[in-house]
Amino acid sequence: MKTPYERPAIVRHAMGMMNKLGRALAQRPMTHIDGVAIEDLVARYGSPLFVFSERTLVERYRELHDAFSRRWPKLRIAWSYKTNYLSGVCKTFHQEGAWAEVVSPFEWEKAVHLGVAPDHVHWNGPFKPEEALERALVAGTMVHIDHFDELASIERIAARRGIRPKVAIRINLTTDTVQGWSRFGFNLESGQARDAALRIVAGDRMELVGLHCHLGTFIQEADAYRQAARKLALFANELRATHGTRITFIDLGGGFASQNALKAQYLPSEQATPPFSRYAEAIADGLSAIDAPPSELPTLVLETGRALVDEAGHLITSVIANKRLPDGRRGLVVDAGVNVLFTSFWYRHDVVPTRELRGMPEPTVIYGPLCMNIDEIRETMQLPPLSVGDRLVLRNVGAYNVTQWMQFITYRPAVVMVGSNGKHALLRRAEALEDVIALEEVPAWMP
Amino acid sequence: MDAVSAAPALGAVAEERNATWDGALVAFDSVARSYSSILFSRSRGVGLLLGAATLTSPRIFAFGLGAVVWANLVARLLRLDARALADGQFGYNALLVGLGTAATFTGNMPTIPVLALAVVGAVLLTAAFRASLGASGLPSLSLPFLAVYYLLLSASPLTHLAYGAYAIDPWPGDYGAFTSLAPALLPEPIPLFLRSLGSLFFVPRVDAGLLVLAALVLHSRIAALLAGAAFGAVLLLDQHVLSLPEGAMLHVLGYNTMLTAIALGSVWFVPSRSALGLALVGVLLCVMVTVGSMAPLARVGVPPMILPFNVTAILMLYAMRQRTSDGAPKASFSLADSPEALVAEHRSRTARFFALHPLRFRLPFRGTWICTQGNDGQHTHRDAWRHGLDFEVRGRDGELFSGAGAEARDFHAYGLPVVAAADGVVAKVVDGIPDNAIGRMDLVHNWGNVVVLYHAPGLYSVVAHLKPSSIKVKEGQSVRAGEALAACGTSGRSPTPHLHFQLQATAIVGAPTLPVHFHHVVVTRENGENREAREVVRELCPAQGDALRAIEPDSGIADLLHVPLGAAWTFESDGRRETVRSDVGLLGELHLRSVERPADLTFEEGDSLLVVLDVAGRRTSALQLLCAAMPRAPFDAALPTWTDVLPRQRFRAWPLRLLADLVALFGERAGIEVRYSMRREGAGLVIVGESIERRSRRSPRDDHPLLSTRLEVERGVGPTAIEVTYAGVTRRATRILSFDSSSRRSPS
Ligand SMILES: Cc1ncc(COP(=O)(O)O)c(C=O)c1O
């Protein structure tokens, strides 16, 4: 067999680069996803290609469920639609028992369309148009109130429709390590949350049953959750003592870190990202401040997004060209850009070749196919030389990409799922011209 | 007047008519049941047949009926317990007095006024006996009749009552044309048997006996069988052991022993082989009482009549009540309509609610754990500790630990909460014993850190090998089922972190174990293709390798299935409307009661499931369909399947039912086991059930489940449609929502 041609280059020797216990381990080639050859998938569905592993989705879900249900008696996982609302992905989680967490009328409609009972939906977000809100409240959707104007609008709806909906309020708070997103919901420390609860109780048009708090995303400090859970538990005790309000659920939102790595992150994620059990321990410990007999303990609701789906998603991309940059680094042009891999702005994705690569690794930057300077999907990493047509797999890309991607310059690629049964099928076909022009109109006065 | 405004007026008239009709029906029932009560039945049909039996002697019939009607009137005037009155409880002793008077004394004057007074006496005595004997839980049977009747006999010389033929020789040779023909048609001892049955109602005639037998068979085949067996035993004794005077004696022995056998073998004890044995013992004792009381009673100048049955049965019942455990035979626990119904109810209870201990235990942990050593385990669960259980946690990869497994922390179980298996009081706490290094054991402190809970006299639970300083409870503190006690550790005789659980009779650490059953356990099985099948098992003793968890209640499902108090649901089935209402009973138990039909469903609504305890009454009621479609429902978010057992008898057509009853005594196939599953559909929930048994085992083309059910529940509305198919015949009940709009809950 002929050895493939390697372009000659002079590379500075770096110590430790080949340490087989360190980063180099990840560079073992990935030829299959759950038993299906990557080359077969590309031959069938094209490149670039998103591939989701059904097995990983289910395993992660069950891991999350197990970790929490062993520590807290009542648990509900609501799948965060914005993280990935492909029907096949949502259905996988719903089959496992997940409710839906939505943040817009579109997501609400999509969940109901997928067969989720409207009363198995939690609705977050700062903008809930009144008609959509009315439809959801009548159908029993659990609305997490974000601000006083929304509260007023629910009071109007309740009066108009003669209903007394069960509702939750979204709360923002601070912990020692994480400054929670303070623009959403009512602030706890300033007493705003207390005012909101009082207004609900005094208005008597709805029943306050839930407290919600989403600290942020990719939070690697489990302890932040302990503090948030404890603050909510104490707040629930206070509500019970002052108004007799029984809080039936406490929702800690999402935010658990996945195996991905932030660009600024120093430690590798295997070390920096806590397992679900660590988050669970912290949250159960925080919640144990609740003052209630076992049968009246509130249900713990989780809206974990990223940590459930990131690991299951892979992006297969093909090398289009090799370049040498003026600073001596190698540049690699691939067929997937930031338009499909939106998260590459913040995350240092794991890149794995699909064959054993020979040759000396050298600093390499991976660029997408767009004619834009920002189209860099992976900052400098050590990679041996690659040839045109070689595939690379970007791992842990299941979260936020197939929702935040955009049709820009290129068509969006296909998304497939590899089933636990070894079969594979489309979750979304690749876009074509018809899809893009289907929504367009040409003004009639134009010839 | 237009049609619309006329409608309510017509309705009011109809209602009034209904009220009178209802009153008449109650009065009729109280008469019919006065007759049927003598055979321990509440059925109108049985009453009518027995009335017809007395009609074979018109005078006796007239006196009997007159006495019953008068007695019921008196009881009503005296405002005695209306429910007992409607059940014929005040009538049957009076009936016997009336029948006996007619058979004993000739002439109408002064017999009728004396009888009228005697009936008042019987009613008063019945009330008095019911209160005094009833206070010790004993029936008064026909003691009031005996007292009054004996009084009449002794008083007769002073009251100008004239003895008829019956009193001098109650069983004269000639019974009329039919009876004299009968022996030719029927071989002995059948006429003897029938005459004996007839003499229960003072008409010792074959035709009357035939009608009584028909009534008995209609009421209960089991009771008829017991009567036959009792009579057979008496005949055997007569031929081989006793030397009785000709004639009367066999009749007296016959009906006394028959009633004794029926009461002991099928009314006060659940019919079974052991109850049959008890009945036969009763028969022998009753024969002794009869024979032995002959001479003393003759000296007083009264015949034994039904006295031997009363004495024997009441004493035996009282003696059996003194048993320390209610085993075989099982004492009757309900006022079932017939022995057959009692057997069915008992079977269904043991199949559905078999309980080893007087309280239900949940698993002592949260989430799914694995049983790693069951009863009679290979390591330490032996001899006195054979009922111990060990639990550990397996990760998704099937391993008990992650990483190297060199430290306790690496084990999934380590540090997880351990919870109370039932409500109780903390009896003992041991803390301060350090966790072992992996692979090491502390044989000095075998059990390590321990919490012992007291649940009931002689029933304690123990969780052992706890993590030091993790115990959150103090001795003397009361705890609720599911409350966190401590964290799983590896102290004591524990090479790797695990939880040891056992039940025992004392609070002593290391005491011998008692058998354990957990209730409503969710068992998880891998189901190929990475799917997991979960099933709620009603009662389970875990075996090694089982993956188990408690029900994880989902408030959404609990809300959907919640039965609000005071809810009134109107159903339509077979063109008839029926409204059922929910309320709370005297003992705090929850009921759904039918307004139109005698039907009552009792249920329990807990934190994690809804259980229908029983349904009684009309088989056509929508409540029967509801019970078949949802005998219980777990509120588990994972929508597991579950099974329940429905009594076979509830679905059979009546001829088949009669046949099946006969074999019921000797062990019939258990009830119909039905597998249920639940799924969300739109804004509601659908529960479907399919019996495991197929309809036909012979032709595979006809491979349908014997029984299938479907229940639709809508949010904020409750059940909207019920469908039950048994052997190809479907019955439906559909909610008419417009009828109960007033009782609808606000959407939640
Ligand atoms: C309200 C809310 N819940 C859940 C999530 C999901 O968070 P994550 O993907 O970090 O788990 C988000 C994400 O922004 C959110 O805003």
Side-chain angles (χ1 to χ4, degrees):
Chain A
M1 202 183 100
K2 218 175 97 190
T3 33
Y5 168 74
E6 267 172 34
R7 208 189 295 249
I10 300 167
V11 192
R12 187 164 57 91
H13 184 75
M15 282 298 291
M17 167 176 82
M18 291 301 286
N19 178 354
K20 67 180 194 300
L21 294 174
R23 305 301 298 159
L25 192 68
Q27 307 217 344
R28 256 189 319 191
M30 182 171 183
T31 57
H32 290 72
I33 295 174
D34 287 355
V36 178
I38 288 173
E39 278 312 313
D40 291 350
L41 289 171
V42 172
R44 174 85 183 271
Y45 304 103
S47 171
L49 179 68
F50 276 104
V51 182
F52 282 86
S53 153
E54 184 187 23
R55 170 167 294 141
T56 308
L57 289 175
V58 170
E59 289 294 285
R60 289 294 283 170
Y61 184 92
R62 291 181 185 169
E63 248 172 64
L64 180 74
H65 183 273
D66 282 353
F68 279 86
S69 64
R70 287 183 183 128
R71 292 168 173 90
W72 194 254
K74 295 178 199 164
L75 173 67
R76 177 187 310 155
I77 299 174
W79 172 237
S80 160
Y81 264 49
K82 73 188 99 28
T83 313
N84 186 324
Y85 40 65
L86 285 172
S87 301
V89 170
C90 295
K91 281 212 147 178
T92 305
F93 290 133
H94 294 319
Q95 264 173 16
E96 290 292 310
W99 289 27
E101 185 267 334
V102 304
V103 289
S104 67
F106 153 66
E107 289 189 351
W108 188 87
E109 284 166 17
K110 177 129 203 212
V112 171
H113 171 74
L114 285 178
V116 179
D119 57 350
H120 274 31
V121 177
H122 287 265
W123 188 355
N124 281 304
F127 174 43
K128 306 187 184 86
E130 192 152 324
E131 296 110 88
L133 192 56
E134 177 165 343
R135 174 181 61 171
L137 285 169
V138 168
T141 295
M142 183 55 64
V143 171
H144 299 176
I145 304 171
D146 192 79
H147 43 70
F148 282 108
D149 290 312
E150 185 177 314
L151 206 161
S153 129
I154 296 178
E155 284 178 342
R156 279 196 301 275
I157 293 169
R160 191 159 64 230
R161 298 298 299 257
I163 55 175
R164 195 166 182 278
K166 293 184 178 172
V167 296
I169 49 174
R170 177 158 181 172
I171 288 172
N172 67 67
L173 46 80
T174 45
T175 68
D176 296 347
T177 45
V178 174
Q179 173 68 50
W181 291 354
S182 61
R183 51 165 289 208
F184 302 109
F186 304 95
N187 184 260
L188 185 68
E189 289 84 3
S190 70
Q192 206 179 37
R194 199 167 292 133
D195 293 346
L198 180 62
R199 163 96 181 257
I200 292 174
V201 172
D204 200 29
R205 292 241 176 248
M206 46 193 133
E207 190 183 345
L208 178 60
V209 296
L211 303 178
H212 169 276
C213 169
H214 173 74
L215 285 174
T217 193
F218 212 84
I219 296 170
Q220 290 175 318
E221 295 82 14
D223 207 53
Y225 284 96
R226 184 192 319 272
Q227 293 176 37
R230 188 174 156 77
K231 284 190 167 185
L232 293 183
L234 294 176
F235 186 47
N237 290 348
E238 180 192 321
L239 291 176
R240 191 174 180 135
T242 50
H243 307 303
T245 300
R246 205 186 129 200
I247 294 300
T248 61
F249 76 87
I250 289 183
D251 185 336
L252 281 155
F256 300 158
S258 67
Q259 288 301 314
N260 223 325
L262 285 169
K263 285 193 169 170
Q265 188 175 319
Y266 176 69
L267 284 172
S269 284
E270 300 92 87
Q271 288 163 44
T273 295
F276 285 146
S277 57
R278 198 84 55 76
Y279 290 111
E281 225 167 73
I283 288 177
D285 184 46
L287 286 182
S288 66
I290 278 274
D291 189 11
S295 63
E296 286 177 28
L297 289 176
T299 300
L300 167 63
V301 181
L302 297 174
E303 299 169 352
T304 309
R306 177 188 308 284
L308 280 181
V309 76
D310 228 8
E311 283 82 344
H314 310 267
L315 175 62
I316 302 170
T317 180
S318 309
V319 176
I320 297 166
N322 275 294
K323 283 194 170 170
R324 181 64 60 189
L325 302 176
D327 61 7
R329 290 179 302 164
R330 183 159 47 186
L332 212 52
V333 184
V334 300
D335 59 2
V338 291
N339 54 333
V340 299
L341 198 66
F342 197 76
T343 54
S344 55
F345 287 124
W346 299 280
Y347 292 90
R348 201 164 59 212
H349 290 297
D350 204 4
V351 179
V352 204
T354 60
R355 64 173 177 87
E356 197 78 55
L357 296 181
R358 290 152 197 274
M360 186 69 82
E362 55 174 309
T364 309
V365 193
I366 305 177
Y367 296 111
L370 309 181
C371 53
M372 312 281 293
N373 199 32
I374 55 160
D375 192 19
E376 175 189 304
I377 64 167
R378 180 64 155 90
E379 62 188 23
T380 315
M381 68 178 290
Q382 296 288 341
L383 266 182
L386 283 127
S387 318
V388 170
D390 270 339
R391 319 271 184 224
L392 289 174
V393 181
L394 288 111
R395 303 201 309 165
N396 308 324
V397 298
Y400 296 103
N401 283 309
V402 293
T403 49
Q404 295 191 49
W405 58 357
M406 56 194 140
Q407 192 274 309
F408 176 56
I409 298 184
T410 63
Y411 295 124
R412 281 176 289 194
V415 186
V416 299
M417 176 179 274
V418 176
S420 314
N421 52 11
K423 294 182 187 154
H424 47 85
L426 275 175
L427 291 178
R428 193 183 198 269
R429 69 169 164 74
E431 276 172 351
L433 181 62
E434 309 84 76
D435 299 310
V436 180
I437 60 179
L439 300 174
E440 293 183 22
E441 304 274 349
V442 175
W445 67 80
M446 289 188 185
Chain B
M1 204 160 83
D2 60 21
V4 178
S5 59
L10 285 177
V13 171
E15 222 153 78
E16 218 163 81
R17 210 173 278 157
N18 268 345
T20 358
W21 171 246
D22 283 354
L25 203 65
V26 169
F28 174 77
D29 273 354
S30 63
V31 171
R33 287 185 182 145
S34 300
Y35 284 85
S36 53
S37 291
I38 294 180
L39 295 183
F40 302 96
S41 162
R42 291 180 72 247
S43 139
R44 281 180 209 143
V46 170
L48 285 176
L49 275 169
L50 293 176
T54 61
L55 198 51
T56 53
S57 163
R59 182 164 180 274
I60 287 185
F61 169 76
F63 272 61
L65 186 60
V68 170
V69 172
W70 174 229
N72 286 346
L73 221 68
V74 170
R76 218 186 138 148
L77 284 174
L78 293 178
R79 293 181 199 285
L80 293 170
D81 182 359
R83 201 175 280 234
L85 171 61
D87 264 357
Q89 293 302 304
F90 290 106
Y92 77 86
N93 273 294
L95 168 68
L96 290 175
V97 172
L99 297 172
T101 307
T104 315
F105 305 107
T106 54
N108 290 340
M109 280 315 250
T111 314
I112 290 177
V114 170
L115 172 61
L117 193 63
V119 164
V120 175
V123 170
L124 293 173
L125 272 180
T126 304
F129 274 120
R130 278 173 61 81
S132 53
L133 282 176
S136 10
L138 295 173
S140 39
L141 297 181
S142 32
L143 291 175
F145 153 70
L146 284 168
V148 172
Y149 184 73
Y150 286 162
L151 197 66
L152 281 182
L153 284 185
S154 346
S156 63
L158 309 172
T159 50
H160 306 289
L161 291 179
Y163 278 123
Y166 182 86
I168 301 154
D169 176 11
W171 296 281
D174 177 30
Y175 300 111
F178 180 80
T179 27
S180 45
L181 269 177
L185 295 172
L186 300 167
E188 281 298 346
I190 292 172
L192 186 65
F193 172 63
L194 294 175
R195 281 198 297 272
S196 181
L197 276 176
S199 35
L200 247 183
F201 295 85
F202 293 89
V203 273
R205 298 161 51 107
V206 169
D207 47 3
L210 266 175
L211 285 165
V212 174
L213 181 63
L216 188 58
V217 169
L218 175 64
H219 165 55
S220 160
R221 281 59 60 200
I222 294 173
L225 212 67
L226 284 164
F231 196 76
V234 168
L235 286 183
L236 277 179
L237 284 178
D238 178 38
Q239 277 160 23
H240 302 291
V241 185
L242 303 169
S243 58
L244 295 174
E246 272 303 303
M249 202 54 201
L250 272 182
H251 287 195
V252 181
L253 278 175
Y255 64 70
N256 272 296
T257 53
M258 285 193 268
L259 282 185
T260 307
I262 291 171
L264 291 172
S266 70
V267 179
W268 298 333
F269 294 91
V270 179
S272 63
R273 262 165 280 185
S274 55
L276 181 65
L278 182 74
L280 287 178
V281 172
V283 165
L284 296 180
L285 288 175
C286 185
V287 169
M288 272 177 66
V289 171
T290 315
V291 174
S293 63
M294 275 315 257
L297 283 178
R299 227 165 289 150
V300 188
V302 293
M305 311 290 302
I306 195 82
L307 183 66
F309 154 65
N310 279 269
V311 170
T312 317
I314 292 180
L315 286 181
M316 281 191 68
L317 178 61
Y318 194 59
M320 291 296 282
R321 290 263 167 84
Q322 310 312 313
R323 294 181 300 170
T324 50
S325 86
D326 181 20
K330 171 94 183 76
S332 170
F333 46 85
S334 86
L335 287 172
D337 277 346
S338 69
E340 280 75 5
L342 184 60
V343 178
E345 212 173 301
H346 175 60
R347 289 237 165 95
S348 136
R349 277 196 196 203
T350 31
R352 299 185 62 213
F353 306 114
F354 170 73
L356 199 57
H357 299 296
L359 67 163
R360 298 183 198 162
F361 286 98
R362 54 154 287 150
L363 291 165
F365 44 77
R366 294 172 177 163
T368 304
W369 290 48
I370 309 284
C371 174
T372 45
Q373 195 187 170
N375 288 173
D376 299 310
Q378 51 191 345
H379 306 296
T380 48
H381 298 168
R382 310 197 149 217
D383 306 325
W385 298 279
R386 52 179 293 238
H387 297 297
L389 293 166
D390 284 345
F391 297 100
E392 285 172 75
V393 170
R394 209 167 260 166
R396 280 281 144 205
D397 53 2
E399 295 291 342
L400 297 168
F401 53 84
S402 57
E407 279 181 72
R409 256 211 84 92
D410 292 345
F411 283 74
H412 299 301
Y414 189 73
L416 288 183
V418 171
V419 306
D423 292 353
V425 176
V426 180
K428 192 160 181 58
V429 167
V430 178
D431 202 350
I433 298 165
D435 278 330
N436 302 319
I438 295 303
R440 297 292 185 83
M441 288 192 281
D442 176 355
L443 297 178
V444 180
H445 311 99
N446 224 348
W447 306 88
N449 303 310
V450 166
V451 173
V452 182
L453 297 182
Y454 164 84
H455 299 292
L459 195 55
Y460 295 77
S461 73
V462 178
V463 283
H465 309 308
L466 303 171
K467 183 174 163 180
S469 312
S470 74
I471 298 176
K472 300 181 173 181
V473 292
K474 292 188 213 52
E475 287 179 13
Q477 176 186 340
S478 64
V479 293
R480 306 286 292 272
E483 194 170 327
L485 301 174
C488 175
T490 186
S491 56
R493 185 170 179 168
S494 172
T496 56
H498 75 283
L499 170 65
H500 174 97
F501 178 87
Q502 66 180 47
L503 294 183
Q504 54 188 41
T506 67
I508 299 165
V509 174
T513 56
L514 295 173
V516 187
H517 278 189
F518 296 107
H519 286 260
H520 296 119
V521 174
V522 182
V523 180
T524 307
R525 295 189 190 88
E526 282 293 336
N527 195 12
E529 300 212 343
N530 205 22
R531 297 268 171 264
E532 287 176 338
R534 300 185 187 83
E535 182 184 348
V536 181
V537 179
R538 295 192 295 274
E539 199 164 344
L540 175 90
C541 177
Q544 190 168 331
D546 285 352
L548 313 155
R549 64 170 171 81
I551 289 177
E552 287 164 7
D554 175 271
S555 59
I557 297 170
D559 280 355
L560 270 163
L561 294 176
H562 173 63
V563 183
L565 270 184
W569 298 334
T570 303
F571 291 94
E572 179 167 338
S573 61
D574 298 329
R576 287 207 277 174
R577 293 236 162 93
E578 182 180 12
T579 301
V580 302
R581 241 185 252 284
S582 74
D583 64 54
V584 193
L586 281 178
L587 305 171
E589 79 283 11
L590 299 167
H591 288 270
L592 273 174
R593 283 190 237 260
S594 170
V595 174
E596 288 85 359
R597 286 168 226 192
D600 179 357
L601 180 149
T602 19
F603 68 100
E604 212 177 70
E605 198 182 305
D607 184 38
S608 55
L609 78 168
L610 183 144
V611 183
V612 172
L613 299 174
D614 208 353
V615 61
R618 228 11 92 67
R619 281 152 44 99
T620 50
S621 167
L623 290 176
Q624 294 278 6
L625 298 184
L626 185 62
C627 172
M630 188 179 63
R632 84 180 76 203
F635 307 151
D636 196 284
L639 306 178
T641 63
W642 69 96
T643 62
D644 213 319
V645 180
L646 299 177
R648 217 168 266 280
Q649 289 300 64
R650 216 169 266 168
F651 303 96
R652 285 195 175 117
W654 72 267
L656 244 178
R657 231 182 311 149
L658 297 191
L659 257 178
D661 285 345
L662 269 184
V663 282
L665 249 187
F666 306 100
E668 193 205 23
R669 262 183 304 167
I672 306 172
E673 187 163 17
V674 184
R675 178 172 296 281
Y676 294 90
S677 59
M678 184 190 275
R679 62 168 186 276
R680 290 302 311 254
E681 221 165 72
L685 185 80
V686 177
I687 298 179
V688 291
E690 268 197 7
S691 67
I692 287 154
E693 194 177 318
R694 314 305 292 183
R695 217 181 130 185
S696 158
R697 264 151 298 168
R698 258 168 277 124
S699 92
R701 269 180 297 121
D702 193 24
D703 190 30
H704 294 295
L706 178 66
L707 178 87
S708 58
T709 66
R710 184 186 160 85
L711 171 74
E712 289 172 26
V713 180
E714 212 176 286
R715 195 173 62 86
V717 174
T720 51
I722 318 171
E723 203 177 280
V724 176
T725 305
Y726 178 80
V729 182
T730 301
R731 290 172 56 211
R732 283 188 189 85
T734 316
R735 266 290 278 295
I736 318 173
L737 290 177
S738 54
F739 266 73
D740 56 21
S741 54
S742 55
S743 65
R744 276 172 80 168
R745 286 189 297 156
S746 61
S748 45

